[in-house]
Amino acid sequence: MDKILEIKNLTKIYNDAGGEIRVLDDISLDIERGKFIVFIGPSGSGKSTLLNLIGLLDTATGGSIMFEGKDILRLKEEKRAKLRLSKFGFVFQFDSLMPDFTVLENVNLPALIKGKNNFGYARKLLAKFGIVALADKMPPSISGGEKQRVAIARALINGPKILLADEPTGNLDGERKEQIFKDFALAASEGLTVLMVTHDIKAADYADECYKIADGKVNRI
Ligand SMILES: Nc1ncnc2c1ncn2[C@@H]1O[C@H](COP(=O)(O)OP(=O)(O)OP(=O)(O)O)[C@@H](O)[C@H]1O
Ligand SMILES: [Mg+2]
């Protein structure tokens, strides 16, 4: 098995006024390259927390995450930022587009941050998701489902190794939703590793593996 991620004894504890919340409790999990993996679980079970830890947007309380042979939780911030930009693509749970930039500029943004505009590929990605006609619009004037597709295109602009998608189909209707699941399955068959959080059990029809997150544990279903 070509493991792209090896998660070992990962623990995340939050401390607040009411005491400690053990959101992820000593979880271990191997992720194979080129798979479409789905995580399902109740609200508050730690799904976003897990994706944010893998994507280096948050720090763990304990454990390790090996990515291509390196423990990424122990890297210095500069290296983490570099990895985030070039190896990971993010689709966030809540709207994260820049309202003062056009759709096309939003998709291009991670390329620009990396140092080089890639408007040609940005357009191709918009076309792939059926929204190239929106290229010059501003995000506040497009629908929620359209925004989600822009966010997916943006996540793919730098050719990531891993796509982390947190409820990417929340605002989409049935047909659009299934199209995204199909796109993710296809991208995975071409070598991208896709980790997706969803409440939609229909995703299981398209995924290679499904996991349930509950009570701090992650179990294969
Ligand atoms: N910064 C924080 N400080 C304290 N507790 C937090 C913090 N962030 C998240 N939590 C708590 O951790 C738990 C897991 O949150 P998380 O956002 O990972 O859940 P989720 O499974 O993504 O839920 P949803 O389906 O509603 O998006 C929740 O109980 C939440 O209240
Ligand atoms: Mg969440």
Side-chain angles (χ1 to χ4, degrees), residues 20 22 44 67 89 99 109 111 113 125 134 155 174 179 184 197 202-203 212:
E20 70 172 33
R22 196 171 282 263
F67 169 69
L109 200 58
I113 294 171
L125 287 167
L134 305 180
Q179 189 56 50
F184 283 178
V197 164
K202 194 112 191 77
K212 184 175 169 65

Side-chain angles (χ1 to χ4, degrees), residues 107-132:
V107 175
N108 177 68
L109 200 58
L112 179 65
I113 294 171
K114 216 177 149 191
K116 200 162 168 251
N117 285 322
N118 200 350
F119 288 114
Y121 188 45
R123 255 181 210 287
K124 267 193 197 144
L125 287 167
L126 287 175
K128 182 177 158 80
F129 294 110
I131 47 172
V132 74

Side-chain angles (χ1 to χ4, degrees), residues 4-57:
I4 190 162
L5 290 171
E6 292 174 75
I7 300 171
K8 283 205 170 65
N9 309 110
L10 187 66
T11 297
K12 177 70 181 182
I13 298 171
Y14 285 115
N15 289 296
D16 71 0
E20 70 172 33
I21 314 172
R22 196 171 282 263
V23 180
L24 298 175
D25 185 11
D26 195 21
I27 67 166
S28 295
L29 183 69
D30 288 342
I31 305 282
E32 196 177 344
R33 190 185 303 273
K35 296 284 182 204
F36 177 20
I37 313 282
V38 162
F39 295 94
I40 293 177
S43 184
S45 59
K47 304 182 298 297
S48 295
T49 302
L50 177 62
L51 284 199
N52 290 344
L53 286 173
I54 294 172
L56 299 174
L57 295 170

